[in-house]
Amino acid sequence: MLKKLFRHEFRSKGGVLLLFCEIMTVATVLMCIASLINKYAANTVSRIIYGIVGGGFFATIVILIVTWFIYLCVHFYRTMYSAQGYLTHTLPVKSSSVLNVKIIVSEIQLVIVVAVVLIFIFITGIVNDGIAIGELMQAVRTLMQSIYEGTGIPGQIFAAFVVVIALIGWLDALLLFFAGSSIGQLFHRSKGAWGIAASIGLYYVSQIVTLIVIACVGGFMFVSNTEVYVNSSGGPTALVMYPLMVGIIVMLAFWAVVYYIISRVIVSKHLNLE
């Protein structure tokens, strides 16, 4: 049954995901055409067209990513807590299993969207600058070396940290809304409004607690032995960067677990559908 649930969850949003890819394809093609016109015509009109299309391209990316995230949140609410939620919770699986499937599928599809955006940006960069693969790899190696010189962390490890933080950060953001929506169901009126208010409240609580922890830990580190944590050029050493990156991951994971527990408890024990 879980396999069918996964399949249905993917298919239910597949049409919107396909539309997203189609819009990105059209925007990328227009961007590439404008880049080629500007490259070979090199006049005032071509530069104006290139600027307008370029601005529209990046605006499209921002709008689509934000819209997709909102769509995931709305889809979760409609299939879990609105009238459609009655049908969802009649399935022969635990409510917590339904919640888990929705979280996993939403995270995967969000990763797919970001990957598609990065691929299209990469394509426009190649067309615009005419960068060969060898030149691109050399630029990546130079960037990795610069990261190592500035932070003391090998570029590959730093890139891995960034990817992990991004994945957990996206999951954290999804679960924040899911938890807020779940809290909203505990009220008998204006559940959607209470859900949004709960999400905002959870966000500010998490930010305040996180800042307090960072201030306490960071202050202790620098007061105890400043020379160990600052290099000769005044930048942070690896002894600062490693704990910082790990600390960010731990804090994001902690709040993701908190949001998940809130959602699971309410879905399993205190479900109050519209």
Side-chain angles (χ1 to χ4, degrees), residues 48-81:
I48 293 175
I49 294 175
Y50 177 74
I52 294 174
V53 176
F57 176 75
F58 287 103
T60 300
I61 291 175
V62 173
I63 292 172
L64 286 179
I65 291 178
V66 173
T67 301
W68 180 254
F69 182 83
I70 294 174
Y71 170 75
L72 291 177
C73 296
V74 172
H75 184 272
F76 171 82
Y77 180 85
R78 292 179 60 185
T79 57
M80 290 293 287
Y81 296 126

PDB file of all heavy atoms in Angstrom, residues 48-81:
ATOM      1  N   ILE A  48      19.883  46.006 -24.672  1.00  0.00           N
ATOM      2  CA  ILE A  48      18.610  46.255 -23.981  1.00  0.00           C
ATOM      3  C   ILE A  48      17.781  44.979 -23.925  1.00  0.00           C
ATOM      4  O   ILE A  48      17.222  44.617 -22.875  1.00  0.00           O
ATOM      5  CB  ILE A  48      17.837  47.387 -24.680  1.00  0.00           C
ATOM      6  CG1 ILE A  48      18.576  48.717 -24.518  1.00  0.00           C
ATOM      7  CG2 ILE A  48      16.411  47.489 -24.109  1.00  0.00           C
ATOM      8  CD1 ILE A  48      17.942  49.858 -25.283  1.00  0.00           C
ATOM      9  N   ILE A  49      17.704  44.289 -25.076  1.00  0.00           N
ATOM     10  CA  ILE A  49      16.950  43.034 -25.120  1.00  0.00           C
ATOM     11  C   ILE A  49      17.549  42.016 -24.160  1.00  0.00           C
ATOM     12  O   ILE A  49      16.833  41.332 -23.421  1.00  0.00           O
ATOM     13  CB  ILE A  49      16.941  42.466 -26.564  1.00  0.00           C
ATOM     14  CG1 ILE A  49      16.163  43.396 -27.491  1.00  0.00           C
ATOM     15  CG2 ILE A  49      16.341  41.056 -26.582  1.00  0.00           C
ATOM     16  CD1 ILE A  49      16.200  42.988 -28.941  1.00  0.00           C
ATOM     17  N   TYR A  50      18.881  41.942 -24.152  1.00  0.00           N
ATOM     18  CA  TYR A  50      19.567  41.000 -23.269  1.00  0.00           C
ATOM     19  C   TYR A  50      19.285  41.309 -21.803  1.00  0.00           C
ATOM     20  O   TYR A  50      19.033  40.408 -20.996  1.00  0.00           O
ATOM     21  CB  TYR A  50      21.067  41.045 -23.544  1.00  0.00           C
ATOM     22  CG  TYR A  50      21.888  40.161 -22.640  1.00  0.00           C
ATOM     23  CD1 TYR A  50      21.897  38.781 -22.808  1.00  0.00           C
ATOM     24  CD2 TYR A  50      22.656  40.704 -21.616  1.00  0.00           C
ATOM     25  CE1 TYR A  50      22.648  37.966 -21.978  1.00  0.00           C
ATOM     26  CE2 TYR A  50      23.408  39.895 -20.780  1.00  0.00           C
ATOM     27  CZ  TYR A  50      23.399  38.535 -20.965  1.00  0.00           C
ATOM     28  OH  TYR A  50      24.138  37.730 -20.141  1.00  0.00           O
ATOM     29  N   GLY A  51      19.290  42.590 -21.446  1.00  0.00           N
ATOM     30  CA  GLY A  51      19.015  42.977 -20.064  1.00  0.00           C
ATOM     31  C   GLY A  51      17.592  42.659 -19.647  1.00  0.00           C
ATOM     32  O   GLY A  51      17.356  42.158 -18.545  1.00  0.00           O
ATOM     33  N   ILE A  52      16.630  42.930 -20.551  1.00  0.00           N
ATOM     34  CA  ILE A  52      15.224  42.661 -20.228  1.00  0.00           C
ATOM     35  C   ILE A  52      14.980  41.162 -20.082  1.00  0.00           C
ATOM     36  O   ILE A  52      14.365  40.703 -19.113  1.00  0.00           O
ATOM     37  CB  ILE A  52      14.304  43.252 -21.317  1.00  0.00           C
ATOM     38  CG1 ILE A  52      14.397  44.778 -21.304  1.00  0.00           C
ATOM     39  CG2 ILE A  52      12.864  42.793 -21.103  1.00  0.00           C
ATOM     40  CD1 ILE A  52      13.630  45.446 -22.425  1.00  0.00           C
ATOM     41  N   VAL A  53      15.479  40.389 -21.057  1.00  0.00           N
ATOM     42  CA  VAL A  53      15.276  38.937 -21.017  1.00  0.00           C
ATOM     43  C   VAL A  53      16.010  38.326 -19.827  1.00  0.00           C
ATOM     44  O   VAL A  53      15.492  37.428 -19.155  1.00  0.00           O
ATOM     45  CB  VAL A  53      15.742  38.290 -22.342  1.00  0.00           C
ATOM     46  CG1 VAL A  53      15.629  36.767 -22.255  1.00  0.00           C
ATOM     47  CG2 VAL A  53      14.913  38.800 -23.501  1.00  0.00           C
ATOM     48  N   GLY A  54      17.231  38.818 -19.552  1.00  0.00           N
ATOM     49  CA  GLY A  54      17.987  38.300 -18.415  1.00  0.00           C
ATOM     50  C   GLY A  54      17.271  38.552 -17.096  1.00  0.00           C
ATOM     51  O   GLY A  54      17.183  37.672 -16.240  1.00  0.00           O
ATOM     52  N   GLY A  55      16.741  39.762 -16.948  1.00  0.00           N
ATOM     53  CA  GLY A  55      15.980  40.070 -15.733  1.00  0.00           C
ATOM     54  C   GLY A  55      14.740  39.196 -15.612  1.00  0.00           C
ATOM     55  O   GLY A  55      14.413  38.698 -14.532  1.00  0.00           O
ATOM     56  N   GLY A  56      14.055  39.003 -16.756  1.00  0.00           N
ATOM     57  CA  GLY A  56      12.876  38.135 -16.749  1.00  0.00           C
ATOM     58  C   GLY A  56      13.230  36.695 -16.442  1.00  0.00           C
ATOM     59  O   GLY A  56      12.470  35.992 -15.763  1.00  0.00           O
ATOM     60  N   PHE A  57      14.398  36.252 -16.914  1.00  0.00           N
ATOM     61  CA  PHE A  57      14.838  34.869 -16.671  1.00  0.00           C
ATOM     62  C   PHE A  57      15.035  34.609 -15.181  1.00  0.00           C
ATOM     63  O   PHE A  57      14.511  33.635 -14.632  1.00  0.00           O
ATOM     64  CB  PHE A  57      16.126  34.604 -17.443  1.00  0.00           C
ATOM     65  CG  PHE A  57      16.732  33.240 -17.196  1.00  0.00           C
ATOM     66  CD1 PHE A  57      16.161  32.113 -17.757  1.00  0.00           C
ATOM     67  CD2 PHE A  57      17.863  33.104 -16.411  1.00  0.00           C
ATOM     68  CE1 PHE A  57      16.708  30.854 -17.527  1.00  0.00           C
ATOM     69  CE2 PHE A  57      18.423  31.860 -16.177  1.00  0.00           C
ATOM     70  CZ  PHE A  57      17.839  30.725 -16.745  1.00  0.00           C
ATOM     71  N   PHE A  58      15.776  35.480 -14.513  1.00  0.00           N
ATOM     72  CA  PHE A  58      16.044  35.270 -13.100  1.00  0.00           C
ATOM     73  C   PHE A  58      14.798  35.544 -12.245  1.00  0.00           C
ATOM     74  O   PHE A  58      14.609  34.908 -11.207  1.00  0.00           O
ATOM     75  CB  PHE A  58      17.215  36.138 -12.650  1.00  0.00           C
ATOM     76  CG  PHE A  58      18.535  35.642 -13.159  1.00  0.00           C
ATOM     77  CD1 PHE A  58      19.165  36.270 -14.230  1.00  0.00           C
ATOM     78  CD2 PHE A  58      19.128  34.535 -12.588  1.00  0.00           C
ATOM     79  CE1 PHE A  58      20.377  35.798 -14.703  1.00  0.00           C
ATOM     80  CE2 PHE A  58      20.339  34.057 -13.059  1.00  0.00           C
ATOM     81  CZ  PHE A  58      20.972  34.686 -14.121  1.00  0.00           C
ATOM     82  N   ALA A  59      13.943  36.467 -12.696  1.00  0.00           N
ATOM     83  CA  ALA A  59      12.676  36.679 -11.993  1.00  0.00           C
ATOM     84  C   ALA A  59      11.798  35.434 -12.101  1.00  0.00           C
ATOM     85  O   ALA A  59      11.128  35.044 -11.129  1.00  0.00           O
ATOM     86  CB  ALA A  59      11.948  37.899 -12.570  1.00  0.00           C
ATOM     87  N   THR A  60      11.815  34.801 -13.268  1.00  0.00           N
ATOM     88  CA  THR A  60      11.059  33.562 -13.465  1.00  0.00           C
ATOM     89  C   THR A  60      11.539  32.473 -12.524  1.00  0.00           C
ATOM     90  O   THR A  60      10.737  31.733 -11.937  1.00  0.00           O
ATOM     91  CB  THR A  60      11.185  33.084 -14.926  1.00  0.00           C
ATOM     92  OG1 THR A  60      10.679  34.096 -15.804  1.00  0.00           O
ATOM     93  CG2 THR A  60      10.408  31.792 -15.143  1.00  0.00           C
ATOM     94  N   ILE A  61      12.864  32.365 -12.365  1.00  0.00           N
ATOM     95  CA  ILE A  61      13.426  31.354 -11.463  1.00  0.00           C
ATOM     96  C   ILE A  61      12.936  31.567 -10.037  1.00  0.00           C
ATOM     97  O   ILE A  61      12.472  30.633  -9.374  1.00  0.00           O
ATOM     98  CB  ILE A  61      14.963  31.387 -11.512  1.00  0.00           C
ATOM     99  CG1 ILE A  61      15.458  30.872 -12.867  1.00  0.00           C
ATOM    100  CG2 ILE A  61      15.560  30.558 -10.378  1.00  0.00           C
ATOM    101  CD1 ILE A  61      16.949  30.986 -13.055  1.00  0.00           C
ATOM    102  N   VAL A  62      13.035  32.806  -9.562  1.00  0.00           N
ATOM    103  CA  VAL A  62      12.619  33.106  -8.190  1.00  0.00           C
ATOM    104  C   VAL A  62      11.125  32.833  -8.005  1.00  0.00           C
ATOM    105  O   VAL A  62      10.702  32.193  -7.026  1.00  0.00           O
ATOM    106  CB  VAL A  62      12.942  34.569  -7.831  1.00  0.00           C
ATOM    107  CG1 VAL A  62      12.359  34.931  -6.473  1.00  0.00           C
ATOM    108  CG2 VAL A  62      14.443  34.801  -7.839  1.00  0.00           C
ATOM    109  N   ILE A  63      10.321  33.300  -8.957  1.00  0.00           N
ATOM    110  CA  ILE A  63       8.869  33.129  -8.857  1.00  0.00           C
ATOM    111  C   ILE A  63       8.490  31.657  -8.869  1.00  0.00           C
ATOM    112  O   ILE A  63       7.655  31.202  -8.074  1.00  0.00           O
ATOM    113  CB  ILE A  63       8.159  33.881 -10.005  1.00  0.00           C
ATOM    114  CG1 ILE A  63       8.321  35.388  -9.813  1.00  0.00           C
ATOM    115  CG2 ILE A  63       6.681  33.508 -10.056  1.00  0.00           C
ATOM    116  CD1 ILE A  63       7.816  36.196 -10.992  1.00  0.00           C
ATOM    117  N   LEU A  64       9.127  30.886  -9.744  1.00  0.00           N
ATOM    118  CA  LEU A  64       8.788  29.465  -9.855  1.00  0.00           C
ATOM    119  C   LEU A  64       9.178  28.689  -8.598  1.00  0.00           C
ATOM    120  O   LEU A  64       8.421  27.835  -8.124  1.00  0.00           O
ATOM    121  CB  LEU A  64       9.470  28.851 -11.081  1.00  0.00           C
ATOM    122  CG  LEU A  64       8.871  29.233 -12.433  1.00  0.00           C
ATOM    123  CD1 LEU A  64       9.661  28.587 -13.564  1.00  0.00           C
ATOM    124  CD2 LEU A  64       7.406  28.818 -12.518  1.00  0.00           C
ATOM    125  N   ILE A  65      10.355  28.971  -8.051  1.00  0.00           N
ATOM    126  CA  ILE A  65      10.777  28.256  -6.840  1.00  0.00           C
ATOM    127  C   ILE A  65       9.859  28.588  -5.671  1.00  0.00           C
ATOM    128  O   ILE A  65       9.418  27.692  -4.927  1.00  0.00           O
ATOM    129  CB  ILE A  65      12.241  28.590  -6.496  1.00  0.00           C
ATOM    130  CG1 ILE A  65      13.187  27.983  -7.542  1.00  0.00           C
ATOM    131  CG2 ILE A  65      12.600  28.068  -5.104  1.00  0.00           C
ATOM    132  CD1 ILE A  65      14.650  28.294  -7.311  1.00  0.00           C
ATOM    133  N   VAL A  66       9.551  29.874  -5.488  1.00  0.00           N
ATOM    134  CA  VAL A  66       8.652  30.276  -4.404  1.00  0.00           C
ATOM    135  C   VAL A  66       7.261  29.682  -4.617  1.00  0.00           C
ATOM    136  O   VAL A  66       6.632  29.166  -3.673  1.00  0.00           O
ATOM    137  CB  VAL A  66       8.570  31.812  -4.311  1.00  0.00           C
ATOM    138  CG1 VAL A  66       7.500  32.235  -3.305  1.00  0.00           C
ATOM    139  CG2 VAL A  66       9.915  32.391  -3.915  1.00  0.00           C
ATOM    140  N   THR A  67       6.785  29.736  -5.868  1.00  0.00           N
ATOM    141  CA  THR A  67       5.465  29.187  -6.186  1.00  0.00           C
ATOM    142  C   THR A  67       5.415  27.691  -5.934  1.00  0.00           C
ATOM    143  O   THR A  67       4.424  27.176  -5.410  1.00  0.00           O
ATOM    144  CB  THR A  67       5.099  29.482  -7.652  1.00  0.00           C
ATOM    145  OG1 THR A  67       5.107  30.887  -7.873  1.00  0.00           O
ATOM    146  CG2 THR A  67       3.719  28.930  -7.985  1.00  0.00           C
ATOM    147  N   TRP A  68       6.493  26.991  -6.282  1.00  0.00           N
ATOM    148  CA  TRP A  68       6.530  25.543  -6.077  1.00  0.00           C
ATOM    149  C   TRP A  68       6.491  25.201  -4.587  1.00  0.00           C
ATOM    150  O   TRP A  68       5.780  24.284  -4.178  1.00  0.00           O
ATOM    151  CB  TRP A  68       7.768  24.943  -6.726  1.00  0.00           C
ATOM    152  CG  TRP A  68       7.856  23.449  -6.540  1.00  0.00           C
ATOM    153  CD1 TRP A  68       8.679  22.770  -5.719  1.00  0.00           C
ATOM    154  CD2 TRP A  68       7.039  22.465  -7.190  1.00  0.00           C
ATOM    155  NE1 TRP A  68       8.441  21.423  -5.800  1.00  0.00           N
ATOM    156  CE2 TRP A  68       7.444  21.202  -6.695  1.00  0.00           C
ATOM    157  CE3 TRP A  68       6.011  22.530  -8.131  1.00  0.00           C
ATOM    158  CZ2 TRP A  68       6.860  20.019  -7.121  1.00  0.00           C
ATOM    159  CZ3 TRP A  68       5.429  21.336  -8.553  1.00  0.00           C
ATOM    160  CH2 TRP A  68       5.855  20.115  -8.064  1.00  0.00           C
ATOM    161  N   PHE A  69       7.241  25.947  -3.784  1.00  0.00           N
ATOM    162  CA  PHE A  69       7.230  25.701  -2.344  1.00  0.00           C
ATOM    163  C   PHE A  69       5.829  25.946  -1.778  1.00  0.00           C
ATOM    164  O   PHE A  69       5.329  25.156  -0.971  1.00  0.00           O
ATOM    165  CB  PHE A  69       8.246  26.596  -1.642  1.00  0.00           C
ATOM    166  CG  PHE A  69       8.329  26.381  -0.160  1.00  0.00           C
ATOM    167  CD1 PHE A  69       9.099  25.353   0.357  1.00  0.00           C
ATOM    168  CD2 PHE A  69       7.624  27.195   0.713  1.00  0.00           C
ATOM    169  CE1 PHE A  69       9.161  25.133   1.728  1.00  0.00           C
ATOM    170  CE2 PHE A  69       7.689  26.986   2.076  1.00  0.00           C
ATOM    171  CZ  PHE A  69       8.471  25.951   2.583  1.00  0.00           C
ATOM    172  N   ILE A  70       5.203  27.039  -2.192  1.00  0.00           N
ATOM    173  CA  ILE A  70       3.844  27.333  -1.721  1.00  0.00           C
ATOM    174  C   ILE A  70       2.883  26.232  -2.166  1.00  0.00           C
ATOM    175  O   ILE A  70       2.004  25.808  -1.400  1.00  0.00           O
ATOM    176  CB  ILE A  70       3.383  28.707  -2.236  1.00  0.00           C
ATOM    177  CG1 ILE A  70       4.236  29.829  -1.619  1.00  0.00           C
ATOM    178  CG2 ILE A  70       1.902  28.940  -1.936  1.00  0.00           C
ATOM    179  CD1 ILE A  70       3.941  31.195  -2.174  1.00  0.00           C
ATOM    180  N   TYR A  71       3.070  25.770  -3.388  1.00  0.00           N
ATOM    181  CA  TYR A  71       2.202  24.700  -3.908  1.00  0.00           C
ATOM    182  C   TYR A  71       2.333  23.439  -3.065  1.00  0.00           C
ATOM    183  O   TYR A  71       1.326  22.782  -2.743  1.00  0.00           O
ATOM    184  CB  TYR A  71       2.547  24.406  -5.360  1.00  0.00           C
ATOM    185  CG  TYR A  71       1.874  23.160  -5.890  1.00  0.00           C
ATOM    186  CD1 TYR A  71       0.518  23.157  -6.199  1.00  0.00           C
ATOM    187  CD2 TYR A  71       2.595  21.981  -6.064  1.00  0.00           C
ATOM    188  CE1 TYR A  71      -0.113  22.007  -6.672  1.00  0.00           C
ATOM    189  CE2 TYR A  71       1.975  20.837  -6.532  1.00  0.00           C
ATOM    190  CZ  TYR A  71       0.633  20.850  -6.829  1.00  0.00           C
ATOM    191  OH  TYR A  71       0.011  19.714  -7.293  1.00  0.00           O
ATOM    192  N   LEU A  72       3.560  23.072  -2.690  1.00  0.00           N
ATOM    193  CA  LEU A  72       3.763  21.895  -1.842  1.00  0.00           C
ATOM    194  C   LEU A  72       3.038  22.048  -0.510  1.00  0.00           C
ATOM    195  O   LEU A  72       2.420  21.100  -0.017  1.00  0.00           O
ATOM    196  CB  LEU A  72       5.258  21.663  -1.607  1.00  0.00           C
ATOM    197  CG  LEU A  72       6.094  21.218  -2.807  1.00  0.00           C
ATOM    198  CD1 LEU A  72       7.570  21.105  -2.413  1.00  0.00           C
ATOM    199  CD2 LEU A  72       5.593  19.884  -3.355  1.00  0.00           C
ATOM    200  N   CYS A  73       3.127  23.237   0.063  1.00  0.00           N
ATOM    201  CA  CYS A  73       2.472  23.482   1.355  1.00  0.00           C
ATOM    202  C   CYS A  73       0.957  23.431   1.224  1.00  0.00           C
ATOM    203  O   CYS A  73       0.268  22.827   2.067  1.00  0.00           O
ATOM    204  CB  CYS A  73       2.915  24.835   1.912  1.00  0.00           C
ATOM    205  SG  CYS A  73       4.679  24.933   2.305  1.00  0.00           S
ATOM    206  N   VAL A  74       0.425  24.069   0.177  1.00  0.00           N
ATOM    207  CA  VAL A  74      -1.028  24.068  -0.036  1.00  0.00           C
ATOM    208  C   VAL A  74      -1.525  22.655  -0.324  1.00  0.00           C
ATOM    209  O   VAL A  74      -2.584  22.232   0.175  1.00  0.00           O
ATOM    210  CB  VAL A  74      -1.403  25.020  -1.184  1.00  0.00           C
ATOM    211  CG1 VAL A  74      -2.881  24.885  -1.544  1.00  0.00           C
ATOM    212  CG2 VAL A  74      -1.091  26.462  -0.805  1.00  0.00           C
ATOM    213  N   HIS A  75      -0.769  21.911  -1.121  1.00  0.00           N
ATOM    214  CA  HIS A  75      -1.143  20.535  -1.446  1.00  0.00           C
ATOM    215  C   HIS A  75      -1.194  19.687  -0.174  1.00  0.00           C
ATOM    216  O   HIS A  75      -2.102  18.859   0.007  1.00  0.00           O
ATOM    217  CB  HIS A  75      -0.153  19.942  -2.440  1.00  0.00           C
ATOM    218  CG  HIS A  75      -0.517  18.564  -2.904  1.00  0.00           C
ATOM    219  ND1 HIS A  75      -0.112  17.426  -2.237  1.00  0.00           N
ATOM    220  CD2 HIS A  75      -1.248  18.131  -3.970  1.00  0.00           C
ATOM    221  CE1 HIS A  75      -0.570  16.361  -2.863  1.00  0.00           C
ATOM    222  NE2 HIS A  75      -1.262  16.761  -3.908  1.00  0.00           N
ATOM    223  N   PHE A  76      -0.223  19.888   0.712  1.00  0.00           N
ATOM    224  CA  PHE A  76      -0.212  19.158   1.973  1.00  0.00           C
ATOM    225  C   PHE A  76      -1.468  19.484   2.782  1.00  0.00           C
ATOM    226  O   PHE A  76      -2.133  18.581   3.311  1.00  0.00           O
ATOM    227  CB  PHE A  76       1.040  19.525   2.781  1.00  0.00           C
ATOM    228  CG  PHE A  76       1.041  18.990   4.180  1.00  0.00           C
ATOM    229  CD1 PHE A  76       1.433  17.685   4.436  1.00  0.00           C
ATOM    230  CD2 PHE A  76       0.644  19.786   5.248  1.00  0.00           C
ATOM    231  CE1 PHE A  76       1.430  17.187   5.737  1.00  0.00           C
ATOM    232  CE2 PHE A  76       0.640  19.297   6.548  1.00  0.00           C
ATOM    233  CZ  PHE A  76       1.039  17.992   6.780  1.00  0.00           C
ATOM    234  N   TYR A  77      -1.791  20.758   2.869  1.00  0.00           N
ATOM    235  CA  TYR A  77      -2.958  21.170   3.661  1.00  0.00           C
ATOM    236  C   TYR A  77      -4.253  20.606   3.075  1.00  0.00           C
ATOM    237  O   TYR A  77      -5.097  20.077   3.802  1.00  0.00           O
ATOM    238  CB  TYR A  77      -3.031  22.690   3.726  1.00  0.00           C
ATOM    239  CG  TYR A  77      -4.200  23.206   4.531  1.00  0.00           C
ATOM    240  CD1 TYR A  77      -4.096  23.327   5.910  1.00  0.00           C
ATOM    241  CD2 TYR A  77      -5.402  23.546   3.916  1.00  0.00           C
ATOM    242  CE1 TYR A  77      -5.177  23.785   6.668  1.00  0.00           C
ATOM    243  CE2 TYR A  77      -6.478  23.998   4.658  1.00  0.00           C
ATOM    244  CZ  TYR A  77      -6.354  24.114   6.028  1.00  0.00           C
ATOM    245  OH  TYR A  77      -7.433  24.561   6.762  1.00  0.00           O
ATOM    246  N   ARG A  78      -4.389  20.691   1.766  1.00  0.00           N
ATOM    247  CA  ARG A  78      -5.629  20.252   1.127  1.00  0.00           C
ATOM    248  C   ARG A  78      -5.830  18.744   1.250  1.00  0.00           C
ATOM    249  O   ARG A  78      -6.959  18.272   1.420  1.00  0.00           O
ATOM    250  CB  ARG A  78      -5.636  20.661  -0.345  1.00  0.00           C
ATOM    251  CG  ARG A  78      -5.726  22.163  -0.572  1.00  0.00           C
ATOM    252  CD  ARG A  78      -5.707  22.493  -2.046  1.00  0.00           C
ATOM    253  NE  ARG A  78      -6.826  21.878  -2.760  1.00  0.00           N
ATOM    254  CZ  ARG A  78      -6.986  21.939  -4.075  1.00  0.00           C
ATOM    255  NH1 ARG A  78      -6.097  22.575  -4.817  1.00  0.00           N
ATOM    256  NH2 ARG A  78      -8.028  21.368  -4.644  1.00  0.00           N
ATOM    257  N   THR A  79      -4.748  17.979   1.143  1.00  0.00           N
ATOM    258  CA  THR A  79      -4.873  16.526   1.171  1.00  0.00           C
ATOM    259  C   THR A  79      -4.841  15.937   2.580  1.00  0.00           C
ATOM    260  O   THR A  79      -5.094  14.743   2.753  1.00  0.00           O
ATOM    261  CB  THR A  79      -3.751  15.874   0.340  1.00  0.00           C
ATOM    262  OG1 THR A  79      -2.474  16.310   0.837  1.00  0.00           O
ATOM    263  CG2 THR A  79      -3.881  16.257  -1.124  1.00  0.00           C
ATOM    264  N   MET A  80      -4.512  16.770   3.573  1.00  0.00           N
ATOM    265  CA  MET A  80      -4.440  16.271   4.950  1.00  0.00           C
ATOM    266  C   MET A  80      -5.524  16.855   5.853  1.00  0.00           C
ATOM    267  O   MET A  80      -6.028  16.164   6.746  1.00  0.00           O
ATOM    268  CB  MET A  80      -3.063  16.590   5.551  1.00  0.00           C
ATOM    269  CG  MET A  80      -1.925  15.791   4.942  1.00  0.00           C
ATOM    270  SD  MET A  80      -2.011  14.024   5.292  1.00  0.00           S
ATOM    271  CE  MET A  80      -1.550  14.000   7.027  1.00  0.00           C
ATOM    272  N   TYR A  81      -5.908  18.105   5.637  1.00  0.00           N
ATOM    273  CA  TYR A  81      -6.759  18.769   6.618  1.00  0.00           C
ATOM    274  C   TYR A  81      -8.027  19.379   6.035  1.00  0.00           C
ATOM    275  O   TYR A  81      -8.883  19.831   6.798  1.00  0.00           O
ATOM    276  CB  TYR A  81      -5.958  19.859   7.335  1.00  0.00           C
ATOM    277  CG  TYR A  81      -4.810  19.311   8.147  1.00  0.00           C
ATOM    278  CD1 TYR A  81      -3.519  19.779   7.963  1.00  0.00           C
ATOM    279  CD2 TYR A  81      -5.017  18.316   9.091  1.00  0.00           C
ATOM    280  CE1 TYR A  81      -2.462  19.274   8.708  1.00  0.00           C
ATOM    281  CE2 TYR A  81      -3.967  17.800   9.833  1.00  0.00           C
ATOM    282  CZ  TYR A  81      -2.697  18.291   9.640  1.00  0.00           C
ATOM    283  OH  TYR A  81      -1.655  17.782  10.367  1.00  0.00           O
TER     284      TYR A  81
END
